[in-house]
Amino acid sequence: MTDFEPMPTDWERALAVVAHPDDLEYGASAAIARWVDEGKKVVYLLASRGEAGIDGIPPEECGPLREAEQIEAARIVGVSEVEFLGHKDGVIEYGIPLRRDIAAAIRRHRPELVITLNYAPFWPGGNRNSPDHRNVGEAVLDAVGDAGNQWIFPELGLAKWQGVRWVAIAGSPNATHAVDVESSLDRGVASLEAHRKYLEGLGPGPMSEPNVFLRDFARQAGERFGGKPAVAFELFPA
């Protein structure tokens, strides 16, 4: 395997767009903490409130709970702006409404880097990826182009934004770049631990122990990035 390239650093603003509360905390948040430490501005955009994510807790109770956990998780890594689009958890559809919502956020926040989650059919290791992740990831790629075309979604009343330079995919089976998170991994772990009710709902198992598996993921990525703990991304030029 080839070594990872360093992620670009010559940018000031990023928008992280994912389907659910907790998606960014499965690794990416440690990199985000590092970037915030360096003075960069990162905003979170969640397609849903995760209301269908905890077995045994009805959606009307679960949504506000998970929203609060996400806001706390973001605070831990220095992110103060968290927006929720309100698409229905579990059945998020790829289509014009989702593309419009994401394009609007890109035009408002004017990021140079857009971050999203693996949208491939499978995770590394072979587990099937969820429809929500797949649909949101595809919509993000398309919304980057939409945001830069003044004739697409003119009803938004927002100036076009053609300044997105890269799209970074966290959790990708085809990662190409990485970020050294030796100084920020503790906060990345703590940010996932902030999703307390969600983790309790998973029950016993490796994925409910962030301090173990996140450090293991970072160690594995670091083996291809100079030996230090790292978070890997697949990086596309926009």
Side-chain angles (χ1 to χ4, degrees):
M1 289 187 178
T2 59
D3 287 345
F4 293 131
E5 295 291 325
M7 281 285 287
T9 59
D10 58 333
W11 56 272
E12 298 299 327
R13 299 179 306 280
L15 179 68
V17 187
V18 291
H20 316 108
D22 80 75
D23 284 350
L24 288 166
E25 283 69 49
Y26 278 90
S29 63
I32 290 167
R34 168 71 186 268
W35 289 326
V36 171
D37 286 348
E38 294 171 348
K40 302 182 188 304
K41 174 72 178 294
V42 183
V43 174
Y44 285 3
L45 183 71
L46 287 295
S48 81
R49 290 180 166 79
E51 68 273 9
I54 304 178
D55 190 31
I57 301 181
E60 63 271 17
E61 297 177 25
C62 188
L65 184 157
R66 296 200 70 199
E67 184 174 336
E69 288 186 339
Q70 180 60 75
I71 291 169
E72 173 59 13
R75 185 199 64 78
I76 288 169
V77 297
V79 172
S80 59
E81 290 188 54
V82 183
E83 300 179 3
F84 298 86
L85 295 176
H87 290 257
K88 192 172 181 181
D89 184 20
V91 290
I92 298 173
E93 295 182 313
Y94 174 90
I96 299 304
L98 182 59
R99 282 171 52 189
R100 183 188 296 113
D101 286 347
I102 298 170
I106 292 171
R107 288 176 178 174
R108 284 188 287 106
H109 294 293
R110 303 167 72 84
E112 298 146 272
L113 173 67
V114 172
I115 303 157
T116 193
L117 190 65
N118 176 33
Y119 57 92
F122 296 92
W123 289 103
N127 291 330
R128 181 73 171 163
N129 201 355
S130 84
D132 284 358
H133 296 155
R134 301 198 312 267
N135 291 338
V136 169
E138 290 285 357
V140 166
L141 294 183
D142 291 337
V144 168
D146 296 336
N149 187 328
Q150 64 179 319
W151 308 122
I152 298 177
F153 308 135
E155 69 275 13
L156 293 172
L158 297 165
K160 68 180 181 180
W161 175 246
Q162 296 176 304
V164 178
R165 297 163 64 193
W166 308 278
V167 178
I169 315 299
S172 171
N174 303 305
T176 55
H177 290 65
V179 178
D180 177 348
V181 296
E182 186 172 39
S183 66
S184 57
L185 183 55
D186 287 350
R187 280 170 289 158
V189 171
S191 72
L192 181 52
E193 290 175 338
H195 294 276
R196 184 174 59 85
K197 285 293 185 182
Y198 175 74
L199 293 172
E200 288 175 0
L202 294 178
M207 297 307 284
S208 62
E209 299 178 6
N211 196 46
V212 176
F213 72 79
L214 285 179
R215 293 185 189 281
D216 191 48
F217 289 163
R219 177 191 57 77
Q220 291 178 41
E223 290 173 357
R224 296 172 58 186
F225 197 63
K228 292 186 177 181
V231 170
F233 297 88
E234 183 177 8
L235 190 70
F236 296 132

